Amino acid sequence: MCLQSIKNKLKINPLMLHIPIGNDKKFSGIYDIISLKKHEWNLQNTGESGRNFTTQNLDPELGDSSLKFIIQEREKIIENIADIDDMIADKYLTHGSSALSVSDLQAALRRITLKRTAIPVLCGSSYKNVAVQLLMDAVINFLPDASERNRDFVQCDPDELCALAFKIIHNKNKEPLIFLRLYSGTIKSGQRLYNRNRENSEKVGKLLIPLADDFKEVPLSLAGNIVAVTGLKDVITGDLLFSSASVATKISFKKKDLNSSLGPLIQVPNPVFFCTIEPPSVGFQKRLDFALQCLQREDPTFHVEFDETIGQTIILGMGELHIDIIKERIRVEYGVDAYLGPLQVAYRETLNKAVENTHILDKNISGSKHFVKISMKLYPQEQSKMKVNVIVTKENDLGKIRTDYLKAINVGIKSSLNNGPILNFPVIDVGIDLLWLQVGKGTSLAMLSAAAAQCIKAALRRSEMHLLEPIMNLSIVVNKGYAGRVLNDLSQKRSQILNMEMRQDIELIQARTPLSELKGYSTVLRAITAGTCSLTMEFESYQKMDQNEQARTVEEVTGFAPR
């Protein structure tokens, strides 16, 4: 059943290399079909914990019935290998299976695995520690090492260090441990590493090899390994580390979107749910802030913001379960039984049509006169960078605009777009042109930023704004008899059915559904399918809501019907 499931679900041929000795609780070892060996573990002595086992060569000349079955299975797997690997096929057709040595078959299995034309399947029990050694041998024998791995995102110099920070945890002393996957080169304790994403260098403290929940300190480690390091204060999940800045500049990225100093290798989607969070008392505030800081560093999909308008901390995540897990981790790991407000959908706002606005700031503060006259045009633009585009004409003389003025304007634009006029959600997909700028002598950059922000906010209030809602891609696997119920339920949730696929006695339903319709959906889905379904959900994009849905959402969030 396992082999058939692999074949049906993964659409690839499994090559069974082991036959179990015994079944259920009596499982104690395996027959290796390729090498014709019997490996058996002594499960009576629990103190050995699977470390010791006996190996016995199988003699094909013996007339044992179980051996006959093993020989038959060996012939089958050799035929399967010959169908896939040309080198084995030539020997097999010319001289037969007797001419094929164990090393020939293992070399063929390695080539097949590297080409991904079939999957070697092994048998064992992690619970009883049976055949774990053989699994580790197979990893070495069949899987590629670091020098053979052809990555589709970056080309590394094999002699220089290139490592990805893919996970961060905090130990009992709340000291961060950064897990690194070494793509090339060598890493040493005390070595300085250059962070391409943060554009800074830091010194490695201790270099550790993770062994389950324990760690072993080592002086160095080579490419292909996973290590944990201490001492890196600015590294977050997804950062790419090199041995020096010069090495980082020479790295060639194969994907266009990674060819920048800030291009992450881990694509982080925008959070789609948010809620407020509060400590049980004022005395726990510092501990809560520290917990949120640590969790945000560990998980790039988890965001923390402070809303000055309501004076509360807001956490943003990818779903209901994500937020619940964050709350539980804060309680268990940091000892803060935090209170969460009601979960809300993270909407966005955008423009319907272009609008121009001119704003004049003229104030005297502490005897200093501040004057700014600024004109900007806002217009719909998909995937905009939210930065001002300077439109130079003979009249406005913006070709000579100072760099610090431009930075101050962009700061004001960024702050003003954080809160839209409909429901105070961030404004996206907006292009901005700077048409006119006049700055009085002695005017501070802070006043220039404030003038730019006020100009944008006034323009947004004058424009026709629209609410955007997050749309999720759903993948639902359900037994055939329940597919109709699921489709009927999806039709009531403004869903768009993308595809339906039959796989034996199950159906795969792919749909696109607004996130606002999916609160508690996993519980509903289990109820209508008697718990026989599985659901995966992924953010797809933001899409405009129709007027009726927008009005309903505004009333739901604010408690008042829009005019």
Side-chain angles (χ1 to χ4, degrees), residues 296-324:
Q296 189 175 11
R297 186 179 179 187
E298 293 179 18
D299 182 1
T301 64
F302 173 63
H303 293 190
V304 180
E305 297 176 358
F306 183 77
D307 192 331
E308 296 181 356
T309 59
I310 60 176
Q312 285 186 309
T313 302
I314 297 174
I315 60 174
L316 301 93
M318 296 306 301
E320 297 170 270
L321 180 61
H322 188 194
I323 298 292
D324 287 341

PDB file of all heavy atoms in Angstrom, residues 296-324:
ATOM      1  N   GLN A 296       9.295  37.428  16.247  1.00  0.00           N
ATOM      2  CA  GLN A 296       9.322  38.083  14.944  1.00  0.00           C
ATOM      3  C   GLN A 296      10.624  37.789  14.210  1.00  0.00           C
ATOM      4  O   GLN A 296      10.644  37.651  12.985  1.00  0.00           O
ATOM      5  CB  GLN A 296       9.133  39.589  15.130  1.00  0.00           C
ATOM      6  CG  GLN A 296       8.919  40.356  13.834  1.00  0.00           C
ATOM      7  CD  GLN A 296       8.624  41.820  14.090  1.00  0.00           C
ATOM      8  OE1 GLN A 296       8.777  42.311  15.205  1.00  0.00           O
ATOM      9  NE2 GLN A 296       8.204  42.534  13.062  1.00  0.00           N
ATOM     10  N   ARG A 297      11.713  37.680  14.967  1.00  0.00           N
ATOM     11  CA  ARG A 297      12.993  37.356  14.348  1.00  0.00           C
ATOM     12  C   ARG A 297      13.015  35.911  13.855  1.00  0.00           C
ATOM     13  O   ARG A 297      13.583  35.610  12.815  1.00  0.00           O
ATOM     14  CB  ARG A 297      14.117  37.584  15.359  1.00  0.00           C
ATOM     15  CG  ARG A 297      15.494  37.403  14.757  1.00  0.00           C
ATOM     16  CD  ARG A 297      16.578  37.655  15.788  1.00  0.00           C
ATOM     17  NE  ARG A 297      17.894  37.463  15.203  1.00  0.00           N
ATOM     18  CZ  ARG A 297      19.020  37.476  15.883  1.00  0.00           C
ATOM     19  NH1 ARG A 297      18.996  37.696  17.193  1.00  0.00           N
ATOM     20  NH2 ARG A 297      20.174  37.286  15.286  1.00  0.00           N
ATOM     21  N   GLU A 298      12.386  35.022  14.598  1.00  0.00           N
ATOM     22  CA  GLU A 298      12.351  33.612  14.204  1.00  0.00           C
ATOM     23  C   GLU A 298      11.469  33.379  12.988  1.00  0.00           C
ATOM     24  O   GLU A 298      11.785  32.563  12.122  1.00  0.00           O
ATOM     25  CB  GLU A 298      11.834  32.758  15.363  1.00  0.00           C
ATOM     26  CG  GLU A 298      12.747  32.704  16.572  1.00  0.00           C
ATOM     27  CD  GLU A 298      12.159  31.861  17.683  1.00  0.00           C
ATOM     28  OE1 GLU A 298      11.239  31.069  17.401  1.00  0.00           O
ATOM     29  OE2 GLU A 298      12.605  31.986  18.831  1.00  0.00           O
ATOM     30  N   ASP A 299      10.339  34.081  12.931  1.00  0.00           N
ATOM     31  CA  ASP A 299       9.314  33.805  11.917  1.00  0.00           C
ATOM     32  C   ASP A 299       9.077  35.055  11.073  1.00  0.00           C
ATOM     33  O   ASP A 299       8.427  36.000  11.523  1.00  0.00           O
ATOM     34  CB  ASP A 299       8.017  33.387  12.620  1.00  0.00           C
ATOM     35  CG  ASP A 299       6.910  33.033  11.640  1.00  0.00           C
ATOM     36  OD1 ASP A 299       7.151  33.094  10.426  1.00  0.00           O
ATOM     37  OD2 ASP A 299       5.803  32.699  12.095  1.00  0.00           O
ATOM     38  N   PRO A 300       9.592  35.108   9.833  1.00  0.00           N
ATOM     39  CA  PRO A 300       9.417  36.312   9.009  1.00  0.00           C
ATOM     40  C   PRO A 300       7.975  36.541   8.565  1.00  0.00           C
ATOM     41  O   PRO A 300       7.655  37.630   8.098  1.00  0.00           O
ATOM     42  CB  PRO A 300      10.334  36.050   7.805  1.00  0.00           C
ATOM     43  CG  PRO A 300      10.510  34.573   7.753  1.00  0.00           C
ATOM     44  CD  PRO A 300      10.404  34.084   9.165  1.00  0.00           C
ATOM     45  N   THR A 301       7.088  35.544   8.684  1.00  0.00           N
ATOM     46  CA  THR A 301       5.682  35.755   8.325  1.00  0.00           C
ATOM     47  C   THR A 301       4.890  36.374   9.468  1.00  0.00           C
ATOM     48  O   THR A 301       3.715  36.694   9.306  1.00  0.00           O
ATOM     49  CB  THR A 301       5.017  34.427   7.921  1.00  0.00           C
ATOM     50  OG1 THR A 301       5.006  33.538   9.054  1.00  0.00           O
ATOM     51  CG2 THR A 301       5.765  33.762   6.788  1.00  0.00           C
ATOM     52  N   PHE A 302       5.518  36.534  10.633  1.00  0.00           N
ATOM     53  CA  PHE A 302       4.867  37.126  11.800  1.00  0.00           C
ATOM     54  C   PHE A 302       5.352  38.563  11.959  1.00  0.00           C
ATOM     55  O   PHE A 302       6.546  38.813  12.057  1.00  0.00           O
ATOM     56  CB  PHE A 302       5.195  36.298  13.050  1.00  0.00           C
ATOM     57  CG  PHE A 302       4.706  36.896  14.334  1.00  0.00           C
ATOM     58  CD1 PHE A 302       3.357  37.084  14.568  1.00  0.00           C
ATOM     59  CD2 PHE A 302       5.611  37.279  15.314  1.00  0.00           C
ATOM     60  CE1 PHE A 302       2.913  37.641  15.759  1.00  0.00           C
ATOM     61  CE2 PHE A 302       5.180  37.828  16.509  1.00  0.00           C
ATOM     62  CZ  PHE A 302       3.817  38.015  16.723  1.00  0.00           C
ATOM     63  N   HIS A 303       4.428  39.508  11.971  1.00  0.00           N
ATOM     64  CA  HIS A 303       4.768  40.925  12.065  1.00  0.00           C
ATOM     65  C   HIS A 303       4.179  41.526  13.342  1.00  0.00           C
ATOM     66  O   HIS A 303       3.117  41.100  13.810  1.00  0.00           O
ATOM     67  CB  HIS A 303       4.229  41.702  10.860  1.00  0.00           C
ATOM     68  CG  HIS A 303       4.889  41.335   9.570  1.00  0.00           C
ATOM     69  ND1 HIS A 303       4.700  42.043   8.400  1.00  0.00           N
ATOM     70  CD2 HIS A 303       5.750  40.335   9.246  1.00  0.00           C
ATOM     71  CE1 HIS A 303       5.401  41.495   7.424  1.00  0.00           C
ATOM     72  NE2 HIS A 303       6.050  40.458   7.924  1.00  0.00           N
ATOM     73  N   VAL A 304       4.868  42.527  13.866  1.00  0.00           N
ATOM     74  CA  VAL A 304       4.404  43.258  15.050  1.00  0.00           C
ATOM     75  C   VAL A 304       4.432  44.745  14.730  1.00  0.00           C
ATOM     76  O   VAL A 304       5.431  45.265  14.226  1.00  0.00           O
ATOM     77  CB  VAL A 304       5.287  42.960  16.283  1.00  0.00           C
ATOM     78  CG1 VAL A 304       4.775  43.737  17.490  1.00  0.00           C
ATOM     79  CG2 VAL A 304       5.327  41.474  16.584  1.00  0.00           C
ATOM     80  N   GLU A 305       3.332  45.439  15.029  1.00  0.00           N
ATOM     81  CA  GLU A 305       3.237  46.876  14.806  1.00  0.00           C
ATOM     82  C   GLU A 305       2.627  47.536  16.039  1.00  0.00           C
ATOM     83  O   GLU A 305       1.884  46.896  16.793  1.00  0.00           O
ATOM     84  CB  GLU A 305       2.374  47.191  13.571  1.00  0.00           C
ATOM     85  CG  GLU A 305       2.937  46.647  12.267  1.00  0.00           C
ATOM     86  CD  GLU A 305       2.012  46.901  11.090  1.00  0.00           C
ATOM     87  OE1 GLU A 305       0.916  47.474  11.321  1.00  0.00           O
ATOM     88  OE2 GLU A 305       2.380  46.535   9.963  1.00  0.00           O
ATOM     89  N   PHE A 306       2.926  48.817  16.224  1.00  0.00           N
ATOM     90  CA  PHE A 306       2.303  49.584  17.299  1.00  0.00           C
ATOM     91  C   PHE A 306       1.481  50.695  16.673  1.00  0.00           C
ATOM     92  O   PHE A 306       2.003  51.532  15.931  1.00  0.00           O
ATOM     93  CB  PHE A 306       3.354  50.178  18.235  1.00  0.00           C
ATOM     94  CG  PHE A 306       2.755  50.915  19.404  1.00  0.00           C
ATOM     95  CD1 PHE A 306       2.226  50.222  20.482  1.00  0.00           C
ATOM     96  CD2 PHE A 306       2.693  52.309  19.409  1.00  0.00           C
ATOM     97  CE1 PHE A 306       1.661  50.888  21.550  1.00  0.00           C
ATOM     98  CE2 PHE A 306       2.136  52.981  20.473  1.00  0.00           C
ATOM     99  CZ  PHE A 306       1.614  52.278  21.545  1.00  0.00           C
ATOM    100  N   ASP A 307       0.180  50.680  16.924  1.00  0.00           N
ATOM    101  CA  ASP A 307      -0.739  51.674  16.377  1.00  0.00           C
ATOM    102  C   ASP A 307      -0.859  52.823  17.374  1.00  0.00           C
ATOM    103  O   ASP A 307      -1.452  52.682  18.445  1.00  0.00           O
ATOM    104  CB  ASP A 307      -2.108  51.036  16.124  1.00  0.00           C
ATOM    105  CG  ASP A 307      -3.008  51.934  15.287  1.00  0.00           C
ATOM    106  OD1 ASP A 307      -2.845  53.167  15.371  1.00  0.00           O
ATOM    107  OD2 ASP A 307      -3.870  51.414  14.548  1.00  0.00           O
ATOM    108  N   GLU A 308      -0.279  53.973  16.998  1.00  0.00           N
ATOM    109  CA  GLU A 308      -0.295  55.127  17.908  1.00  0.00           C
ATOM    110  C   GLU A 308      -1.686  55.721  18.074  1.00  0.00           C
ATOM    111  O   GLU A 308      -1.987  56.343  19.090  1.00  0.00           O
ATOM    112  CB  GLU A 308       0.670  56.194  17.399  1.00  0.00           C
ATOM    113  CG  GLU A 308       2.122  55.747  17.395  1.00  0.00           C
ATOM    114  CD  GLU A 308       3.055  56.834  16.909  1.00  0.00           C
ATOM    115  OE1 GLU A 308       2.538  57.901  16.500  1.00  0.00           O
ATOM    116  OE2 GLU A 308       4.280  56.626  16.936  1.00  0.00           O
ATOM    117  N   THR A 309      -2.563  55.525  17.071  1.00  0.00           N
ATOM    118  CA  THR A 309      -3.907  56.112  17.149  1.00  0.00           C
ATOM    119  C   THR A 309      -4.748  55.471  18.244  1.00  0.00           C
ATOM    120  O   THR A 309      -5.570  56.126  18.869  1.00  0.00           O
ATOM    121  CB  THR A 309      -4.631  55.977  15.801  1.00  0.00           C
ATOM    122  OG1 THR A 309      -4.717  54.581  15.447  1.00  0.00           O
ATOM    123  CG2 THR A 309      -3.873  56.714  14.708  1.00  0.00           C
ATOM    124  N   ILE A 310      -4.541  54.159  18.473  1.00  0.00           N
ATOM    125  CA  ILE A 310      -5.310  53.475  19.516  1.00  0.00           C
ATOM    126  C   ILE A 310      -4.421  53.084  20.693  1.00  0.00           C
ATOM    127  O   ILE A 310      -4.913  52.608  21.714  1.00  0.00           O
ATOM    128  CB  ILE A 310      -6.001  52.214  18.951  1.00  0.00           C
ATOM    129  CG1 ILE A 310      -4.964  51.213  18.399  1.00  0.00           C
ATOM    130  CG2 ILE A 310      -7.013  52.582  17.892  1.00  0.00           C
ATOM    131  CD1 ILE A 310      -5.583  49.905  17.926  1.00  0.00           C
ATOM    132  N   GLY A 311      -3.092  53.291  20.543  1.00  0.00           N
ATOM    133  CA  GLY A 311      -2.171  53.004  21.638  1.00  0.00           C
ATOM    134  C   GLY A 311      -2.065  51.540  21.972  1.00  0.00           C
ATOM    135  O   GLY A 311      -1.895  51.180  23.143  1.00  0.00           O
ATOM    136  N   GLN A 312      -2.141  50.649  20.966  1.00  0.00           N
ATOM    137  CA  GLN A 312      -2.080  49.215  21.215  1.00  0.00           C
ATOM    138  C   GLN A 312      -1.106  48.533  20.265  1.00  0.00           C
ATOM    139  O   GLN A 312      -0.834  49.018  19.162  1.00  0.00           O
ATOM    140  CB  GLN A 312      -3.469  48.578  21.052  1.00  0.00           C
ATOM    141  CG  GLN A 312      -4.417  48.868  22.210  1.00  0.00           C
ATOM    142  CD  GLN A 312      -5.710  48.104  22.062  1.00  0.00           C
ATOM    143  OE1 GLN A 312      -6.371  48.138  21.022  1.00  0.00           O
ATOM    144  NE2 GLN A 312      -6.092  47.388  23.113  1.00  0.00           N
ATOM    145  N   THR A 313      -0.585  47.400  20.712  1.00  0.00           N
ATOM    146  CA  THR A 313       0.284  46.569  19.889  1.00  0.00           C
ATOM    147  C   THR A 313      -0.563  45.631  19.046  1.00  0.00           C
ATOM    148  O   THR A 313      -1.506  45.006  19.547  1.00  0.00           O
ATOM    149  CB  THR A 313       1.245  45.752  20.763  1.00  0.00           C
ATOM    150  OG1 THR A 313       2.010  46.655  21.573  1.00  0.00           O
ATOM    151  CG2 THR A 313       2.191  44.924  19.914  1.00  0.00           C
ATOM    152  N   ILE A 314      -0.216  45.529  17.769  1.00  0.00           N
ATOM    153  CA  ILE A 314      -0.959  44.688  16.834  1.00  0.00           C
ATOM    154  C   ILE A 314      -0.030  43.621  16.287  1.00  0.00           C
ATOM    155  O   ILE A 314       1.110  43.912  15.895  1.00  0.00           O
ATOM    156  CB  ILE A 314      -1.534  45.524  15.676  1.00  0.00           C
ATOM    157  CG1 ILE A 314      -2.550  46.547  16.211  1.00  0.00           C
ATOM    158  CG2 ILE A 314      -2.186  44.648  14.625  1.00  0.00           C
ATOM    159  CD1 ILE A 314      -3.066  47.506  15.174  1.00  0.00           C
ATOM    160  N   ILE A 315      -0.485  42.377  16.285  1.00  0.00           N
ATOM    161  CA  ILE A 315       0.281  41.284  15.685  1.00  0.00           C
ATOM    162  C   ILE A 315      -0.423  40.824  14.418  1.00  0.00           C
ATOM    163  O   ILE A 315      -1.656  40.800  14.350  1.00  0.00           O
ATOM    164  CB  ILE A 315       0.477  40.112  16.668  1.00  0.00           C
ATOM    165  CG1 ILE A 315      -0.863  39.532  17.125  1.00  0.00           C
ATOM    166  CG2 ILE A 315       1.295  40.557  17.864  1.00  0.00           C
ATOM    167  CD1 ILE A 315      -0.730  38.285  17.981  1.00  0.00           C
ATOM    168  N   LEU A 316       0.380  40.472  13.419  1.00  0.00           N
ATOM    169  CA  LEU A 316      -0.147  40.051  12.117  1.00  0.00           C
ATOM    170  C   LEU A 316       0.435  38.692  11.765  1.00  0.00           C
ATOM    171  O   LEU A 316       1.640  38.460  11.941  1.00  0.00           O
ATOM    172  CB  LEU A 316       0.204  41.069  11.024  1.00  0.00           C
ATOM    173  CG  LEU A 316      -0.290  42.504  11.212  1.00  0.00           C
ATOM    174  CD1 LEU A 316       0.791  43.343  11.899  1.00  0.00           C
ATOM    175  CD2 LEU A 316      -0.666  43.137   9.877  1.00  0.00           C
ATOM    176  N   GLY A 317      -0.394  37.796  11.255  1.00  0.00           N
ATOM    177  CA  GLY A 317       0.048  36.451  10.904  1.00  0.00           C
ATOM    178  C   GLY A 317      -0.662  35.924   9.677  1.00  0.00           C
ATOM    179  O   GLY A 317      -1.487  36.608   9.053  1.00  0.00           O
ATOM    180  N   MET A 318      -0.375  34.645   9.359  1.00  0.00           N
ATOM    181  CA  MET A 318      -0.872  34.045   8.126  1.00  0.00           C
ATOM    182  C   MET A 318      -2.218  33.342   8.293  1.00  0.00           C
ATOM    183  O   MET A 318      -2.818  32.933   7.310  1.00  0.00           O
ATOM    184  CB  MET A 318       0.146  33.038   7.580  1.00  0.00           C
ATOM    185  CG  MET A 318       1.460  33.669   7.174  1.00  0.00           C
ATOM    186  SD  MET A 318       1.268  35.031   6.027  1.00  0.00           S
ATOM    187  CE  MET A 318       0.434  34.214   4.677  1.00  0.00           C
ATOM    188  N   GLY A 319      -2.686  33.162   9.517  1.00  0.00           N
ATOM    189  CA  GLY A 319      -3.960  32.473   9.696  1.00  0.00           C
ATOM    190  C   GLY A 319      -4.331  32.358  11.162  1.00  0.00           C
ATOM    191  O   GLY A 319      -3.561  32.751  12.057  1.00  0.00           O
ATOM    192  N   GLU A 320      -5.507  31.800  11.405  1.00  0.00           N
ATOM    193  CA  GLU A 320      -5.989  31.641  12.776  1.00  0.00           C
ATOM    194  C   GLU A 320      -5.067  30.732  13.585  1.00  0.00           C
ATOM    195  O   GLU A 320      -4.728  31.022  14.736  1.00  0.00           O
ATOM    196  CB  GLU A 320      -7.412  31.077  12.752  1.00  0.00           C
ATOM    197  CG  GLU A 320      -8.422  31.989  12.085  1.00  0.00           C
ATOM    198  CD  GLU A 320      -9.758  31.314  11.869  1.00  0.00           C
ATOM    199  OE1 GLU A 320      -9.944  30.698  10.811  1.00  0.00           O
ATOM    200  OE2 GLU A 320     -10.617  31.406  12.760  1.00  0.00           O
ATOM    201  N   LEU A 321      -4.667  29.604  12.983  1.00  0.00           N
ATOM    202  CA  LEU A 321      -3.789  28.666  13.692  1.00  0.00           C
ATOM    203  C   LEU A 321      -2.439  29.301  13.990  1.00  0.00           C
ATOM    204  O   LEU A 321      -1.863  29.097  15.069  1.00  0.00           O
ATOM    205  CB  LEU A 321      -3.618  27.394  12.858  1.00  0.00           C
ATOM    206  CG  LEU A 321      -2.731  26.301  13.464  1.00  0.00           C
ATOM    207  CD1 LEU A 321      -3.309  25.826  14.791  1.00  0.00           C
ATOM    208  CD2 LEU A 321      -2.583  25.131  12.501  1.00  0.00           C
ATOM    209  N   HIS A 322      -1.929  30.075  13.050  1.00  0.00           N
ATOM    210  CA  HIS A 322      -0.645  30.756  13.226  1.00  0.00           C
ATOM    211  C   HIS A 322      -0.699  31.684  14.442  1.00  0.00           C
ATOM    212  O   HIS A 322       0.191  31.660  15.311  1.00  0.00           O
ATOM    213  CB  HIS A 322      -0.316  31.560  11.957  1.00  0.00           C
ATOM    214  CG  HIS A 322       1.053  32.147  11.939  1.00  0.00           C
ATOM    215  ND1 HIS A 322       1.446  33.109  11.048  1.00  0.00           N
ATOM    216  CD2 HIS A 322       2.136  31.908  12.726  1.00  0.00           C
ATOM    217  CE1 HIS A 322       2.703  33.436  11.278  1.00  0.00           C
ATOM    218  NE2 HIS A 322       3.151  32.729  12.282  1.00  0.00           N
ATOM    219  N   ILE A 323      -1.743  32.487  14.547  1.00  0.00           N
ATOM    220  CA  ILE A 323      -1.897  33.409  15.669  1.00  0.00           C
ATOM    221  C   ILE A 323      -2.053  32.644  16.979  1.00  0.00           C
ATOM    222  O   ILE A 323      -1.478  33.011  18.021  1.00  0.00           O
ATOM    223  CB  ILE A 323      -3.097  34.341  15.444  1.00  0.00           C
ATOM    224  CG1 ILE A 323      -2.877  35.206  14.190  1.00  0.00           C
ATOM    225  CG2 ILE A 323      -3.345  35.215  16.658  1.00  0.00           C
ATOM    226  CD1 ILE A 323      -1.782  36.215  14.307  1.00  0.00           C
ATOM    227  N   ASP A 324      -2.825  31.542  16.955  1.00  0.00           N
ATOM    228  CA  ASP A 324      -3.020  30.737  18.166  1.00  0.00           C
ATOM    229  C   ASP A 324      -1.708  30.134  18.661  1.00  0.00           C
ATOM    230  O   ASP A 324      -1.446  30.077  19.869  1.00  0.00           O
ATOM    231  CB  ASP A 324      -4.036  29.621  17.901  1.00  0.00           C
ATOM    232  CG  ASP A 324      -5.455  30.147  17.786  1.00  0.00           C
ATOM    233  OD1 ASP A 324      -5.694  31.281  18.255  1.00  0.00           O
ATOM    234  OD2 ASP A 324      -6.316  29.455  17.219  1.00  0.00           O
TER     235      ASP A 324
END
